[in-house]
Each structure stands twice: as structure tokens, then as C-alpha cells.
Amino acid sequence: MRKQYTFLLAESTEMRKQSSILRKQYTFLLAEFTEMSKQLSILRKQYTFLLAEFTEMSKQLSILRKQYAFLLAEFTEIRKQ
């Protein structure tokens, strides 16, 4: 009976140690997950901002191309005269 008790006590002690290690790992992983979530949120905001900037630049480029085409046509017309 004593051997069983000693064995079970050792098992219980080992399980407590493992449980403590797992709790620490969980806390660490939760902190890592929280930090990664914050970083992901920042990256999403940056992406949205850059997408808006890109869209605006594309519009401006389109306007400039039209102006260039107009000026080129004007220049060509002037050269013909």
C-alpha cells in the first residue's frame, strides 16, 4: 500500500510540475498571440492607407497621361502649320 501511495504521490508531483510548465507556456503564447494581433492590426491599417495612396496616384497618372496626349496633339498641330 505504501508503495502505491509513494508512486501516486510522485506521479502527482510530476503532474503538478508539468501543469506549471504548461501554464507558463500558455501565458507566453497568449502574450505572443496578443502582440501578433496588434501587429496585424497595424499592418492592415498600413495596407489600407497604401491602397488609398496607390489609388490616388493611379488617378493622377491617368490625368497626366490625358494632359500629355492633349499637349502632344497640340504640339503636333502647331508643327504642321
Side-chain angles (χ1 to χ4, degrees), residues 26-57:
Y26 173 79
T27 303
F28 173 77
L29 290 173
L30 184 59
E32 284 289 304
F33 175 78
T34 303
E35 183 60 30
M36 288 176 66
S37 293
K38 289 178 186 176
Q39 294 297 321
L40 182 59
S41 175
I42 291 168
L43 288 173
R44 282 187 180 130
K45 290 173 185 172
Q46 288 176 337
Y47 173 78
T48 302
F49 173 77
L50 290 173
L51 184 59
E53 285 289 306
F54 174 77
T55 302
E56 184 59 31
M57 288 177 67

